[in-house]
mmCIF file with all atom_site columns, all heavy atoms in Angstrom:
data_model
loop_
_atom_site.group_PDB
_atom_site.id
_atom_site.type_symbol
_atom_site.label_atom_id
_atom_site.label_alt_id
_atom_site.label_comp_id
_atom_site.label_asym_id
_atom_site.label_entity_id
_atom_site.label_seq_id
_atom_site.pdbx_PDB_ins_code
_atom_site.Cartn_x
_atom_site.Cartn_y
_atom_site.Cartn_z
_atom_site.occupancy
_atom_site.B_iso_or_equiv
_atom_site.pdbx_formal_charge
_atom_site.auth_seq_id
_atom_site.auth_comp_id
_atom_site.auth_asym_id
_atom_site.auth_atom_id
_atom_site.pdbx_PDB_model_num
ATOM   1   N N   . GLY U 1 1   ? 4.861   -2.852 11.028  1.00 0.00 ? 77  GLY U N   1
ATOM   2   C CA  . GLY U 1 1   ? 4.353   -1.893 10.039  1.00 0.00 ? 77  GLY U CA  1
ATOM   3   C C   . GLY U 1 1   ? 3.027   -1.321 10.496  1.00 0.00 ? 77  GLY U C   1
ATOM   4   O O   . GLY U 1 1   ? 2.160   -2.065 10.974  1.00 0.00 ? 77  GLY U O   1
ATOM   5   N N   . GLY U 1 3   ? 0.820   0.416  8.537   1.00 0.00 ? 79  GLY U N   1
ATOM   6   C CA  . GLY U 1 3   ? -0.053  0.720  7.407   1.00 0.00 ? 79  GLY U CA  1
ATOM   7   C C   . GLY U 1 3   ? -1.426  0.101  7.623   1.00 0.00 ? 79  GLY U C   1
ATOM   8   O O   . GLY U 1 3   ? -1.732  -0.397 8.717   1.00 0.00 ? 79  GLY U O   1
ATOM   9   N N   . PRO U 1 4   ? -2.264  0.101  6.568   1.00 0.00 ? 80  PRO U N   1
ATOM   10  C CA  . PRO U 1 4   ? -3.610  -0.456 6.720   1.00 0.00 ? 80  PRO U CA  1
ATOM   11  C C   . PRO U 1 4   ? -3.629  -1.902 7.221   1.00 0.00 ? 80  PRO U C   1
ATOM   12  O O   . PRO U 1 4   ? -4.569  -2.296 7.922   1.00 0.00 ? 80  PRO U O   1
ATOM   13  C CB  . PRO U 1 4   ? -4.217  -0.354 5.314   1.00 0.00 ? 80  PRO U CB  1
ATOM   14  C CG  . PRO U 1 4   ? -3.239  0.351  4.459   1.00 0.00 ? 80  PRO U CG  1
ATOM   15  C CD  . PRO U 1 4   ? -2.037  0.714  5.245   1.00 0.00 ? 80  PRO U CD  1
ATOM   16  N N   . SER U 1 5   ? -2.594  -2.689 6.920   1.00 0.00 ? 81  SER U N   1
ATOM   17  C CA  . SER U 1 5   ? -2.555  -4.072 7.432   1.00 0.00 ? 81  SER U CA  1
ATOM   18  C C   . SER U 1 5   ? -2.434  -4.070 8.947   1.00 0.00 ? 81  SER U C   1
ATOM   19  O O   . SER U 1 5   ? -3.233  -4.704 9.652   1.00 0.00 ? 81  SER U O   1
ATOM   20  C CB  . SER U 1 5   ? -1.342  -4.837 6.866   1.00 0.00 ? 81  SER U CB  1
ATOM   21  O OG  . SER U 1 5   ? -1.513  -5.137 5.524   1.00 0.00 ? 81  SER U OG  1
ATOM   22  N N   . LYS U 1 123 ? 7.698   3.189  11.229  1.00 0.00 ? 199 LYS U N   1
ATOM   23  C CA  . LYS U 1 123 ? 8.764   4.201  11.232  1.00 0.00 ? 199 LYS U CA  1
ATOM   24  C C   . LYS U 1 123 ? 8.248   5.612  10.945  1.00 0.00 ? 199 LYS U C   1
ATOM   25  O O   . LYS U 1 123 ? 8.991   6.574  11.041  1.00 0.00 ? 199 LYS U O   1
ATOM   26  C CB  . LYS U 1 123 ? 9.858   3.816  10.242  1.00 0.00 ? 199 LYS U CB  1
ATOM   27  C CG  . LYS U 1 123 ? 9.433   3.725  8.811   1.00 0.00 ? 199 LYS U CG  1
ATOM   28  C CD  . LYS U 1 123 ? 10.601  3.233  7.974   1.00 0.00 ? 199 LYS U CD  1
ATOM   29  C CE  . LYS U 1 123 ? 10.150  2.930  6.567   1.00 0.00 ? 199 LYS U CE  1
ATOM   30  N NZ  . LYS U 1 123 ? 11.149  2.245  5.794   1.00 0.00 ? 199 LYS U NZ  1
ATOM   31  N N   . GLY U 1 128 ? 0.961   3.863  6.458   1.00 0.00 ? 204 GLY U N   1
ATOM   32  C CA  . GLY U 1 128 ? 1.847   3.107  5.581   1.00 0.00 ? 204 GLY U CA  1
ATOM   33  C C   . GLY U 1 128 ? 2.233   3.866  4.340   1.00 0.00 ? 204 GLY U C   1
ATOM   34  O O   . GLY U 1 128 ? 2.464   5.078  4.369   1.00 0.00 ? 204 GLY U O   1
ATOM   35  N N   . THR U 1 129 ? 2.233   3.153  3.239   1.00 0.00 ? 205 THR U N   1
ATOM   36  C CA  . THR U 1 129 ? 2.724   3.728  1.991   1.00 0.00 ? 205 THR U CA  1
ATOM   37  C C   . THR U 1 129 ? 1.864   4.911  1.538   1.00 0.00 ? 205 THR U C   1
ATOM   38  O O   . THR U 1 129 ? 2.319   5.791  0.815   1.00 0.00 ? 205 THR U O   1
ATOM   39  C CB  . THR U 1 129 ? 2.809   2.621  0.921   1.00 0.00 ? 205 THR U CB  1
ATOM   40  O OG1 . THR U 1 129 ? 3.551   3.092  -0.167  1.00 0.00 ? 205 THR U OG1 1
ATOM   41  C CG2 . THR U 1 129 ? 1.464   2.173  0.437   1.00 0.00 ? 205 THR U CG2 1
ATOM   42  N N   . TRP U 1 130 ? 0.612   4.978  2.021   1.00 0.00 ? 206 TRP U N   1
ATOM   43  C CA  . TRP U 1 130 ? -0.264  6.101  1.656   1.00 0.00 ? 206 TRP U CA  1
ATOM   44  C C   . TRP U 1 130 ? 0.315   7.421  2.144   1.00 0.00 ? 206 TRP U C   1
ATOM   45  O O   . TRP U 1 130 ? 0.081   8.474  1.552   1.00 0.00 ? 206 TRP U O   1
ATOM   46  C CB  . TRP U 1 130 ? -1.666  5.883  2.238   1.00 0.00 ? 206 TRP U CB  1
ATOM   47  C CG  . TRP U 1 130 ? -2.338  4.727  1.568   1.00 0.00 ? 206 TRP U CG  1
ATOM   48  C CD1 . TRP U 1 130 ? -2.216  3.410  1.906   1.00 0.00 ? 206 TRP U CD1 1
ATOM   49  C CD2 . TRP U 1 130 ? -3.175  4.769  0.412   1.00 0.00 ? 206 TRP U CD2 1
ATOM   50  N NE1 . TRP U 1 130 ? -2.934  2.632  1.033   1.00 0.00 ? 206 TRP U NE1 1
ATOM   51  C CE2 . TRP U 1 130 ? -3.537  3.441  0.110   1.00 0.00 ? 206 TRP U CE2 1
ATOM   52  C CE3 . TRP U 1 130 ? -3.662  5.798  -0.394  1.00 0.00 ? 206 TRP U CE3 1
ATOM   53  C CZ2 . TRP U 1 130 ? -4.359  3.117  -0.966  1.00 0.00 ? 206 TRP U CZ2 1
ATOM   54  C CZ3 . TRP U 1 130 ? -4.483  5.472  -1.460  1.00 0.00 ? 206 TRP U CZ3 1
ATOM   55  C CH2 . TRP U 1 130 ? -4.822  4.146  -1.737  1.00 0.00 ? 206 TRP U CH2 1
ATOM   56  N N   . LEU U 1 140 ? -6.733  4.746  -6.805  1.00 0.00 ? 216 LEU U N   1
ATOM   57  C CA  . LEU U 1 140 ? -7.127  3.993  -8.000  1.00 0.00 ? 216 LEU U CA  1
ATOM   58  C C   . LEU U 1 140 ? -8.410  3.228  -7.733  1.00 0.00 ? 216 LEU U C   1
ATOM   59  O O   . LEU U 1 140 ? -9.259  3.081  -8.597  1.00 0.00 ? 216 LEU U O   1
ATOM   60  C CB  . LEU U 1 140 ? -6.027  3.001  -8.379  1.00 0.00 ? 216 LEU U CB  1
ATOM   61  C CG  . LEU U 1 140 ? -4.736  3.634  -8.862  1.00 0.00 ? 216 LEU U CG  1
ATOM   62  C CD1 . LEU U 1 140 ? -3.712  2.563  -9.133  1.00 0.00 ? 216 LEU U CD1 1
ATOM   63  C CD2 . LEU U 1 140 ? -5.004  4.442  -10.111 1.00 0.00 ? 216 LEU U CD2 1
ATOM   64  N N   . SER U 1 141 ? -8.531  2.737  -6.505  1.00 0.00 ? 217 SER U N   1
ATOM   65  C CA  . SER U 1 141 ? -9.742  1.983  -6.157  1.00 0.00 ? 217 SER U CA  1
ATOM   66  C C   . SER U 1 141 ? -10.866 2.958  -5.860  1.00 0.00 ? 217 SER U C   1
ATOM   67  O O   . SER U 1 141 ? -10.615 4.066  -5.382  1.00 0.00 ? 217 SER U O   1
ATOM   68  C CB  . SER U 1 141 ? -9.519  1.179  -4.883  1.00 0.00 ? 217 SER U CB  1
ATOM   69  O OG  . SER U 1 141 ? -8.386  0.400  -4.983  1.00 0.00 ? 217 SER U OG  1
ATOM   70  N N   . VAL U 1 196 ? 12.348  -0.350 13.102  1.00 0.00 ? 272 VAL U N   1
ATOM   71  C CA  . VAL U 1 196 ? 12.863  -1.666 13.510  1.00 0.00 ? 272 VAL U CA  1
ATOM   72  C C   . VAL U 1 196 ? 14.152  -1.929 12.741  1.00 0.00 ? 272 VAL U C   1
ATOM   73  O O   . VAL U 1 196 ? 14.177  -1.836 11.511  1.00 0.00 ? 272 VAL U O   1
ATOM   74  C CB  . VAL U 1 196 ? 11.826  -2.773 13.211  1.00 0.00 ? 272 VAL U CB  1
ATOM   75  C CG1 . VAL U 1 196 ? 12.421  -4.150 13.467  1.00 0.00 ? 272 VAL U CG1 1
ATOM   76  C CG2 . VAL U 1 196 ? 10.575  -2.563 14.048  1.00 0.00 ? 272 VAL U CG2 1
ATOM   77  N N   . GLY U 1 235 ? 4.688   -4.076 4.170   1.00 0.00 ? 311 GLY U N   1
ATOM   78  C CA  . GLY U 1 235 ? 4.388   -3.648 2.808   1.00 0.00 ? 311 GLY U CA  1
ATOM   79  C C   . GLY U 1 235 ? 5.508   -3.936 1.823   1.00 0.00 ? 311 GLY U C   1
ATOM   80  O O   . GLY U 1 235 ? 6.472   -4.658 2.129   1.00 0.00 ? 311 GLY U O   1
ATOM   81  N N   . ASP U 1 238 ? 9.244   -0.179 0.399   1.00 0.00 ? 314 ASP U N   1
ATOM   82  C CA  . ASP U 1 238 ? 10.389  0.440  1.070   1.00 0.00 ? 314 ASP U CA  1
ATOM   83  C C   . ASP U 1 238 ? 11.684  0.443  0.274   1.00 0.00 ? 314 ASP U C   1
ATOM   84  O O   . ASP U 1 238 ? 12.598  1.184  0.589   1.00 0.00 ? 314 ASP U O   1
ATOM   85  C CB  . ASP U 1 238 ? 10.637  -0.247 2.418   1.00 0.00 ? 314 ASP U CB  1
ATOM   86  C CG  . ASP U 1 238 ? 9.679   0.281  3.465   1.00 0.00 ? 314 ASP U CG  1
ATOM   87  O OD1 . ASP U 1 238 ? 9.486   1.502  3.499   1.00 0.00 ? 314 ASP U OD1 1
ATOM   88  O OD2 . ASP U 1 238 ? 9.101   -0.522 4.205   1.00 0.00 ? 314 ASP U OD2 1
ATOM   89  N N   . PRO U 1 453 ? 0.975   -7.000 1.070   1.00 0.00 ? 529 PRO U N   1
ATOM   90  C CA  . PRO U 1 453 ? 1.725   -7.283 -0.156  1.00 0.00 ? 529 PRO U CA  1
ATOM   91  C C   . PRO U 1 453 ? 2.841   -8.314 0.045   1.00 0.00 ? 529 PRO U C   1
ATOM   92  O O   . PRO U 1 453 ? 3.243   -8.975 -0.906  1.00 0.00 ? 529 PRO U O   1
ATOM   93  C CB  . PRO U 1 453 ? 2.318   -5.916 -0.528  1.00 0.00 ? 529 PRO U CB  1
ATOM   94  C CG  . PRO U 1 453 ? 1.404   -4.919 0.099   1.00 0.00 ? 529 PRO U CG  1
ATOM   95  C CD  . PRO U 1 453 ? 0.902   -5.553 1.361   1.00 0.00 ? 529 PRO U CD  1
ATOM   96  N N   . ASN U 1 458 ? -2.344  -7.376 -2.445  1.00 0.00 ? 534 ASN U N   1
ATOM   97  C CA  . ASN U 1 458 ? -1.789  -6.088 -2.866  1.00 0.00 ? 534 ASN U CA  1
ATOM   98  C C   . ASN U 1 458 ? -2.747  -4.914 -2.759  1.00 0.00 ? 534 ASN U C   1
ATOM   99  O O   . ASN U 1 458 ? -2.345  -3.780 -2.959  1.00 0.00 ? 534 ASN U O   1
ATOM   100 C CB  . ASN U 1 458 ? -1.284  -6.190 -4.313  1.00 0.00 ? 534 ASN U CB  1
ATOM   101 C CG  . ASN U 1 458 ? -0.080  -7.106 -4.397  1.00 0.00 ? 534 ASN U CG  1
ATOM   102 O OD1 . ASN U 1 458 ? 0.780   -7.077 -3.521  1.00 0.00 ? 534 ASN U OD1 1
ATOM   103 N ND2 . ASN U 1 458 ? -0.031  -7.938 -5.416  1.00 0.00 ? 534 ASN U ND2 1
ATOM   104 N N   . VAL U 1 460 ? -5.984  -2.803 -0.650  1.00 0.00 ? 536 VAL U N   1
ATOM   105 C CA  . VAL U 1 460 ? -6.517  -2.594 0.698   1.00 0.00 ? 536 VAL U CA  1
ATOM   106 C C   . VAL U 1 460 ? -7.726  -3.498 0.963   1.00 0.00 ? 536 VAL U C   1
ATOM   107 O O   . VAL U 1 460 ? -7.895  -4.016 2.060   1.00 0.00 ? 536 VAL U O   1
ATOM   108 C CB  . VAL U 1 460 ? -6.879  -1.100 0.899   1.00 0.00 ? 536 VAL U CB  1
ATOM   109 C CG1 . VAL U 1 460 ? -7.551  -0.875 2.242   1.00 0.00 ? 536 VAL U CG1 1
ATOM   110 C CG2 . VAL U 1 460 ? -5.636  -0.231 0.776   1.00 0.00 ? 536 VAL U CG2 1
HETATM 111 C C1  . LIG F 2 .   ? 1.314   4.574  -5.777  1.00 0.00 ? 225 LIG F C1  1
HETATM 112 C C2  . LIG F 2 .   ? 0.414   3.530  -5.151  1.00 0.00 ? 225 LIG F C2  1
HETATM 113 C C3  . LIG F 2 .   ? -0.963  3.619  -5.311  1.00 0.00 ? 225 LIG F C3  1
HETATM 114 C C4  . LIG F 2 .   ? -1.801  2.658  -4.736  1.00 0.00 ? 225 LIG F C4  1
HETATM 115 N N1  . LIG F 2 .   ? -3.147  2.765  -4.919  1.00 0.00 ? 225 LIG F N1  1
HETATM 116 C C5  . LIG F 2 .   ? -3.966  1.850  -4.365  1.00 0.00 ? 225 LIG F C5  1
HETATM 117 C C6  . LIG F 2 .   ? -5.385  1.945  -4.509  1.00 0.00 ? 225 LIG F C6  1
HETATM 118 O O1  . LIG F 2 .   ? -5.918  2.853  -5.123  1.00 0.00 ? 225 LIG F O1  1
HETATM 119 N N2  . LIG F 2 .   ? -6.151  0.977  -3.922  1.00 0.00 ? 225 LIG F N2  1
HETATM 120 C C7  . LIG F 2 .   ? -5.615  -0.048 -3.189  1.00 0.00 ? 225 LIG F C7  1
HETATM 121 O O2  . LIG F 2 .   ? -6.362  -0.874 -2.661  1.00 0.00 ? 225 LIG F O2  1
HETATM 122 N N3  . LIG F 2 .   ? -4.281  -0.157 -3.037  1.00 0.00 ? 225 LIG F N3  1
HETATM 123 C C8  . LIG F 2 .   ? -3.451  0.753  -3.610  1.00 0.00 ? 225 LIG F C8  1
HETATM 124 N N4  . LIG F 2 .   ? -2.104  0.636  -3.450  1.00 0.00 ? 225 LIG F N4  1
HETATM 125 C C9  . LIG F 2 .   ? -1.586  -0.507 -2.669  1.00 0.00 ? 225 LIG F C9  1
HETATM 126 C C10 . LIG F 2 .   ? -1.714  -0.214 -1.168  1.00 0.00 ? 225 LIG F C10 1
HETATM 127 O O3  . LIG F 2 .   ? -0.994  0.937  -0.894  1.00 0.00 ? 225 LIG F O3  1
HETATM 128 C C11 . LIG F 2 .   ? -1.211  -1.368 -0.360  1.00 0.00 ? 225 LIG F C11 1
HETATM 129 O O4  . LIG F 2 .   ? -2.004  -2.485 -0.626  1.00 0.00 ? 225 LIG F O4  1
HETATM 130 C C12 . LIG F 2 .   ? -1.304  -1.120 1.143   1.00 0.00 ? 225 LIG F C12 1
HETATM 131 O O5  . LIG F 2 .   ? -0.782  0.114  1.510   1.00 0.00 ? 225 LIG F O5  1
HETATM 132 C C13 . LIG F 2 .   ? -0.565  -2.217 1.871   1.00 0.00 ? 225 LIG F C13 1
HETATM 133 O O6  . LIG F 2 .   ? -0.694  -1.979 3.239   1.00 0.00 ? 225 LIG F O6  1
HETATM 134 P P1  . LIG F 2 .   ? 0.346   -2.552 4.295   1.00 0.00 ? 225 LIG F P1  1
HETATM 135 O O7  . LIG F 2 .   ? -0.073  -2.014 5.608   1.00 0.00 ? 225 LIG F O7  1
HETATM 136 O O8  . LIG F 2 .   ? 0.468   -4.012 4.143   1.00 0.00 ? 225 LIG F O8  1
HETATM 137 O O9  . LIG F 2 .   ? 1.754   -1.953 3.839   1.00 0.00 ? 225 LIG F O9  1
HETATM 138 P P2  . LIG F 2 .   ? 2.211   -0.432 3.738   1.00 0.00 ? 225 LIG F P2  1
HETATM 139 O O10 . LIG F 2 .   ? 1.071   0.451  3.444   1.00 0.00 ? 225 LIG F O10 1
HETATM 140 O O11 . LIG F 2 .   ? 3.355   -0.421 2.801   1.00 0.00 ? 225 LIG F O11 1
HETATM 141 O O12 . LIG F 2 .   ? 2.715   -0.086 5.205   1.00 0.00 ? 225 LIG F O12 1
HETATM 142 C C14 . LIG F 2 .   ? 3.837   -0.720 5.749   1.00 0.00 ? 225 LIG F C14 1
HETATM 143 C C15 . LIG F 2 .   ? 4.433   0.172  6.796   1.00 0.00 ? 225 LIG F C15 1
HETATM 144 O O13 . LIG F 2 .   ? 5.507   -0.510 7.449   1.00 0.00 ? 225 LIG F O13 1
HETATM 145 C C16 . LIG F 2 .   ? 6.527   0.422  7.705   1.00 0.00 ? 225 LIG F C16 1
HETATM 146 N N5  . LIG F 2 .   ? 7.823   -0.227 7.854   1.00 0.00 ? 225 LIG F N5  1
HETATM 147 C C17 . LIG F 2 .   ? 8.513   -0.906 6.916   1.00 0.00 ? 225 LIG F C17 1
HETATM 148 N N6  . LIG F 2 .   ? 9.696   -1.314 7.424   1.00 0.00 ? 225 LIG F N6  1
HETATM 149 C C18 . LIG F 2 .   ? 9.748   -0.866 8.701   1.00 0.00 ? 225 LIG F C18 1
HETATM 150 C C19 . LIG F 2 .   ? 10.730  -0.946 9.731   1.00 0.00 ? 225 LIG F C19 1
HETATM 151 N N7  . LIG F 2 .   ? 11.894  -1.570 9.546   1.00 0.00 ? 225 LIG F N7  1
HETATM 152 N N8  . LIG F 2 .   ? 10.458  -0.365 10.924  1.00 0.00 ? 225 LIG F N8  1
HETATM 153 C C20 . LIG F 2 .   ? 9.283   0.271  11.129  1.00 0.00 ? 225 LIG F C20 1
HETATM 154 N N9  . LIG F 2 .   ? 8.323   0.386  10.176  1.00 0.00 ? 225 LIG F N9  1
HETATM 155 C C21 . LIG F 2 .   ? 8.558   -0.175 8.982   1.00 0.00 ? 225 LIG F C21 1
HETATM 156 C C22 . LIG F 2 .   ? 6.518   1.278  6.440   1.00 0.00 ? 225 LIG F C22 1
HETATM 157 O O14 . LIG F 2 .   ? 7.166   2.491  6.664   1.00 0.00 ? 225 LIG F O14 1
HETATM 158 C C23 . LIG F 2 .   ? 5.029   1.435  6.210   1.00 0.00 ? 225 LIG F C23 1
HETATM 159 O O15 . LIG F 2 .   ? 4.560   2.540  6.908   1.00 0.00 ? 225 LIG F O15 1
HETATM 160 C C24 . LIG F 2 .   ? -1.248  1.590  -3.993  1.00 0.00 ? 225 LIG F C24 1
HETATM 161 C C25 . LIG F 2 .   ? 0.141   1.515  -3.806  1.00 0.00 ? 225 LIG F C25 1
HETATM 162 C C26 . LIG F 2 .   ? 0.966   2.468  -4.376  1.00 0.00 ? 225 LIG F C26 1
HETATM 163 C C27 . LIG F 2 .   ? 2.470   2.361  -4.157  1.00 0.00 ? 225 LIG F C27 1
#
Side-chain angles (χ1 to χ4, degrees):
S81 288
K199 62 184 171 190
T205 193
W206 292 85
L216 293 177
S217 307
V272 173
D314 280 317
N534 292 320
V536 175

